[in-house]
């Protein structure tokens, strides 16, 4: 059996602070047309895809800060993207900063949405692993103030769409094994992950040369260990003096990269993904029902002279050790 989904990566090059939302949406629309021409049913855009990566700045004035957030979706600036999606019959994943008016006040999230081929928003995700720091740290070449500007979202969920079970995550989430595993436990077959990753990591500059490697390592491990497709899409290049990695890629459930962007600019690449390939892994090496040992991942620990049985119960070893 085959269930093919043709997915496009809509990698973005840099967005400078002076670039208008309208100019960015025009770039997203151009890539959507290209993706459609290449046969894609869905295009995946990066994290915070409508503006420059503003957490690099310490911004004290709430009005100045909130100019980077969206209060509604779609809105006047993004409506052309939704209109084009409906006209072309193509879905999309889009990351943006969300300012949400909730019963207890205003909340700020790093958000992504999944939009179907009728241009309806069918799922929303709020980033769980919010990295960086919350206070101004002038010793850094640039800030990474996500912890100041975004609350953590409530968790990971899946959506039945595009002929399979889809999940969403954002940037730093991709480095955490739990992201993929929590989605896979919900039968996820494909996860979309937009990211903005500066090459320079101020607290750990030893990692700078490894930033592309760590990106791909995380995406490949997540795919293989959970028998799922992983679509990672960057906003890369030199943005307001800060260089960010590209390296967008689509990883098969085998862990193999089957499509990759080669520039750090606006670039569309497409892959035909068989969602049924997930079962090859989910029903064999990573058959969770058969092989996972949840009891062994909990808090039960054997003391000296005790051993954990395969079912997680403690039993006294015949010979203490
Ligand atoms: N956007 C985002 O989450 N970026 C982080 C940068 C490193 S944490 C300072 C990432 O994990 O790629």
């Amino acid at each position: 059996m085959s269930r093919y989904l043709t997915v496009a990566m809509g990698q973005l090059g840099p967005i400078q602070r002076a670039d208008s939302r309208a100019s960015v949406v025009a770039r997203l629309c151009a890539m959507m047309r290209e993706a459609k021409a290449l046969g894609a049913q869905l295009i995946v855009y990066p994290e915070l895809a409508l503006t420059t990566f503003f957490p690099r700045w310490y911004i004290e004035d709430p009005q100045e800060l909130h100019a980077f957030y969206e209060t509604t979706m779609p809105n006047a600036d993004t409506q052309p993207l939704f209109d084009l999606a409906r006209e072309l019959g193509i879905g999309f994943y889009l990351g943006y900063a969300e300012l949400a008016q909730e019963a207890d006040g205003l909340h700020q999230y790093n958000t992504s949405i999944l939009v179907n081929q009728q241009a309806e928003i069918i799922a929303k995700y709020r980033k769980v692993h919010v990295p960086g720091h919350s206070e101004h740290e002038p010793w850094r070449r640039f800030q990474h103030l996500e912890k100041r500007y975004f609350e953590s979202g409530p968790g990971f969920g899946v959506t039945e769409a595009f002929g399979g079970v889809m999940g969403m995550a954002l940037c730093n989430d991709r480095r955490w094994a739990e992201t993929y595993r929590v989605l896979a436990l919900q039968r996820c077959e494909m996860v979309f992950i937009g990211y903005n990753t500066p090459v320079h990591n101020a607290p750990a500059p030893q990692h700078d040369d490894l930033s592309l490697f760590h990106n791909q390592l995380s995406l490949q491990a997540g795919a293989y260990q959970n028998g799922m497709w992983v679509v990672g899409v960057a906003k890369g290049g030199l943005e307001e003096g800060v260089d960010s990695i590209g390296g967008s890629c689509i990883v098969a459930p085998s862990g193999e990269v089957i499509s990759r962007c080669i520039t750090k600019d606006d670039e569309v690449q497409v892959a035909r993904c068989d969602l049924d390939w997930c079962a090859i892994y989910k029903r064999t090496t990573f058959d969770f029902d058969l092989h996972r040992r949840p009891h062994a991942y909990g808090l039960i620990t054997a003391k000296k002279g005790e051993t954990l049985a395969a079912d997680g119960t403690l039993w006294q070893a015949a010979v203490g050790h």
Side-chain angles (χ1 to χ4, degrees):
M1 279 252 308
S2 292
R3 270 181 300 140
Y4 287 110
L5 176 61
T6 303
V7 181
M9 295 176 279
Q11 179 180 278
L12 274 169
I15 300 176
Q16 308 306 339
R17 190 168 187 165
D19 294 345
S20 66
R21 297 273 207 298
S23 71
V24 176
V25 169
R27 286 163 64 184
L28 299 176
C29 286
M31 289 201 286
M32 185 177 272
R33 287 188 187 283
E34 199 178 332
K36 179 68 185 180
L38 291 167
Q41 294 156 275
L42 168 76
I43 179 166
V44 179
Y45 297 117
E47 175 194 43
L48 299 177
L50 298 173
T51 66
T52 198
F53 189 77
F54 61 92
R56 73 170 64 91
W57 295 304
Y58 179 61
I59 302 170
E60 288 180 278
D61 175 8
Q63 225 182 327
E64 187 185 347
L65 177 68
H66 287 163
F68 291 104
Y69 292 73
E70 314 302 315
T71 52
T72 55
M73 189 58 68
N75 54 39
D77 288 313
T78 56
Q79 191 60 52
L81 188 66
F82 284 76
D83 291 344
L84 184 62
R86 189 179 299 106
E87 179 195 322
L88 299 177
I90 184 170
F92 65 93
Y93 158 107
L94 177 76
Y96 63 93
E98 179 193 8
L99 189 63
Q101 181 69 61
E102 294 170 2
D104 61 345
L106 272 184
H107 292 267
Q108 299 168 182
Y109 300 103
N110 189 337
T111 296
S112 61
I113 47 170
L114 188 60
V115 177
N116 69 13
Q117 287 159 298
Q118 291 76 48
E120 298 157 340
I121 298 175
I122 52 170
K124 182 190 270 192
Y125 166 72
R126 289 165 170 168
K127 186 173 181 176
V128 167
H129 300 99
V130 175
H133 51 108
S134 14
E135 299 306 324
H136 189 210
E137 296 185 4
W139 61 269
R140 292 172 182 256
R141 268 193 247 155
F142 53 88
Q143 305 294 297
H144 197 108
L145 285 159
E146 284 198 66
K147 280 208 196 298
R148 185 178 192 86
Y149 299 151
F150 301 120
E151 286 170 52
S152 185
F156 298 98
V158 295
T159 307
E160 291 202 22
F162 302 100
V165 183
M166 305 291 134
M168 290 190 278
L170 279 160
C171 197
N172 192 260
D173 289 326
R174 76 196 189 286
R175 304 187 192 278
W176 297 89
E178 292 88 342
T179 298
Y180 308 92
R181 183 51 51 89
V182 168
L183 287 168
L185 285 166
Q186 299 171 73
R187 300 179 302 110
C188 185
E189 294 177 308
M190 179 177 276
V191 57
F192 310 116
I193 313 177
Y195 60 91
N196 283 262
T197 299
V199 172
H200 176 57
N201 183 345
Q206 312 84 326
H207 300 178
D208 293 3
D209 286 343
L210 300 171
S211 52
L212 259 182
F213 166 68
H214 287 155
N215 173 58
Q216 203 165 306
L217 177 70
S218 303
L219 300 176
Q220 289 187 269
Y224 169 64
Q225 294 176 344
N226 295 282
M228 63 166 74
W229 288 91
V230 175
V231 183
V233 179
K235 172 147 67 66
L238 195 62
E239 200 180 77
E240 297 290 348
V242 176
D243 192 20
S244 287
I245 64 167
S248 304
C249 60
I250 298 180
V251 188
S254 59
E256 294 165 290
V257 173
I258 66 156
S259 183
R260 200 176 197 289
C261 289
I262 54 169
T263 69
K264 285 170 82 168
D265 221 322
D266 293 10
E267 180 177 343
V268 176
Q269 294 292 345
V270 166
R272 190 163 166 259
C273 307
D274 186 351
L275 298 174
D276 277 332
W277 284 1
C278 298
I280 300 167
Y281 294 86
K282 288 185 192 291
R283 293 213 193 113
T284 60
T285 311
F286 296 109
D287 184 327
F288 288 174
D289 292 337
L290 207 55
H291 305 304
R292 275 183 85 243
R293 288 291 173 267
H295 56 264
Y297 315 145
L299 297 173
I300 307 167
T301 49
K303 295 189 206 73
K304 195 173 178 197
E306 294 173 337
T307 305
L308 272 182
D311 66 357
T313 55
L314 275 174
W315 58 285
Q316 295 293 327
V319 182
H321 52 90

